[in-house]
């Protein structure tokens, strides 16, 4: 039952991602191809599905927030493209396929990641059915999670920790930034969009933080 529900949501995300990606006029064909290569490379779509599930947990309809769910996945994909670059992890394969920079070169891969990140914020602002105030609240949540306070900060800690033995407090902080922050933002965004009250938001935040840390450890 859970697997079927997950597949249904994942299929909705796949279709919506392609629609959002082709909604605008991307200036360069190679850039467009590089963006699509990584964005549509499959995967579990954990973060967008969790956003939808969080909305449903507080009485909303998950599919109503597919737009925001797509934005979260675009940010996740940008982070994977940049993580794989020669200056970062220098990986050759991702999800069984050549990494973006191996196909399009490091320069174009960098631009594809940049484009997906900035497109994500444009997409977030296209979310319908909620007030501008709610959209701005979600935008702030996601911005903080993606930036120096969250994902980028965690990656910077990871780079600086090469060859070092970290204590548990530092390691936890790195994991909560590098991986946990976007899980937290996805769950909180879904809850906020669906009108969660303060107690519901606290409970879902605690869940998301624990999930993100467990995911990184695993």
């Amino acid at each position: 039952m859970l697997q079927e529900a997950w597949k249904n949501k994942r299929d909705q995300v796949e279709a919506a991602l392609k629609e959002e990606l082709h909604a605008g006029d991307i200036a360069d064909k190679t850039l467009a191809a590089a963006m699509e290569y990584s964005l549509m490379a499959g995967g579990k779509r954990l973060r967008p599905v969790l956003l939808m599930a969080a909305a449903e947990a507080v009485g909303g309809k998950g599919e109503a927030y597919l737009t925001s769910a797509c934005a979260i996945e675009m940010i996740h994909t940008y982070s994977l493209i940049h993580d794989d670059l020669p200056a970062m992890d220098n990986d050759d394969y991702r999800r069984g396929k050549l990494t973006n920079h191996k196909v399009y070169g490091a320069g174009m891969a960098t631009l594809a990641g940049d484009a997906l990140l900035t497109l994500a914020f444009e997409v977030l602002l296209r979310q319908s059915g909620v007030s501008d105030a709610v959209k701005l609240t979600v935008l702030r949540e996601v911005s903080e999670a993606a930036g120096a306070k969250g994902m980028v900060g965690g990656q910077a800690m990871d780079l600086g920790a090469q060859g070092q033995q970290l204590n548990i407090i530092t390691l936890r902080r790195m994991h909560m930034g590098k991986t946990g922050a976007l899980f937290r933002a996805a769950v909180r965004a879904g809850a906020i969009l669906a009108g969660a009250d303060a107690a519901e938001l606290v409970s879902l935040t605690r869940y998301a933080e624990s999930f993100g840390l467990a995911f990184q450890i695993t």
Side-chain angles (χ1 to χ4, degrees), residues 2-211:
L2 178 60
Q3 287 183 338
E4 184 179 347
W6 190 282
K7 184 181 183 303
N8 288 339
K9 281 184 170 55
R10 190 181 63 200
D11 290 346
Q12 288 178 321
V13 170
E14 293 288 340
L17 279 171
K18 184 161 283 192
E19 186 176 330
E20 292 292 349
L21 185 60
H22 294 291
D25 183 20
I26 299 172
D28 182 84
K29 290 182 179 179
T30 304
L31 175 62
M35 292 166 69
E36 184 164 1
Y37 178 81
S38 291
L39 186 63
M40 304 310 298
K44 294 180 285 293
R45 308 304 192 190
L46 274 170
R47 293 151 192 84
V49 172
L50 282 171
L51 185 151
M52 296 166 71
E56 291 172 1
V58 298
K61 292 185 177 180
E63 61 267 24
Y65 308 111
L66 265 170
T67 305
S68 296
C70 287
I72 293 287
E73 188 68 7
M74 288 174 182
I75 293 172
H76 174 56
T77 302
Y78 124 78
S79 74
L80 298 182
I81 294 172
H82 282 197
D83 279 356
D84 291 337
L85 287 168
M88 295 286 188
D89 294 343
N90 195 25
D91 287 326
D92 293 340
Y93 290 92
R94 167 76 65 176
R95 294 169 178 163
K97 296 175 60 177
L98 286 170
T99 49
N100 200 293
H101 70 272
K102 285 292 181 180
V103 177
Y104 294 98
M108 189 59 71
T110 302
L111 292 175
D114 292 344
L116 285 169
L117 174 62
T118 49
L119 177 59
F121 294 111
E122 177 188 333
V123 170
L124 273 174
L125 291 172
R126 287 209 293 263
Q127 177 63 58
S128 62
V130 297
S131 68
D132 288 344
V134 168
K135 280 192 270 192
L136 286 173
T137 299
V138 170
L139 192 64
R140 181 170 182 173
E141 287 277 343
V142 175
S143 297
E144 289 186 355
K149 294 180 181 179
M151 191 168 62
V152 172
Q155 179 68 9
M157 290 178 71
D158 193 13
L159 281 177
Q162 297 298 317
Q164 296 184 27
Q165 184 74 32
L166 300 181
N167 62 48
I168 190 65
I169 295 173
T170 304
L171 185 63
R172 181 186 177 91
R173 185 177 180 188
M174 183 178 77
H175 287 340
M176 292 300 289
K178 184 176 178 180
T179 302
L182 201 58
F183 279 121
R184 184 179 189 272
V187 171
R188 282 178 58 87
I192 292 167
L193 288 164
D197 63 31
E200 290 170 331
L201 193 56
V202 167
S203 295
L204 283 167
T205 301
R206 188 179 300 119
Y207 163 79
E209 289 174 349
S210 299
F211 182 94

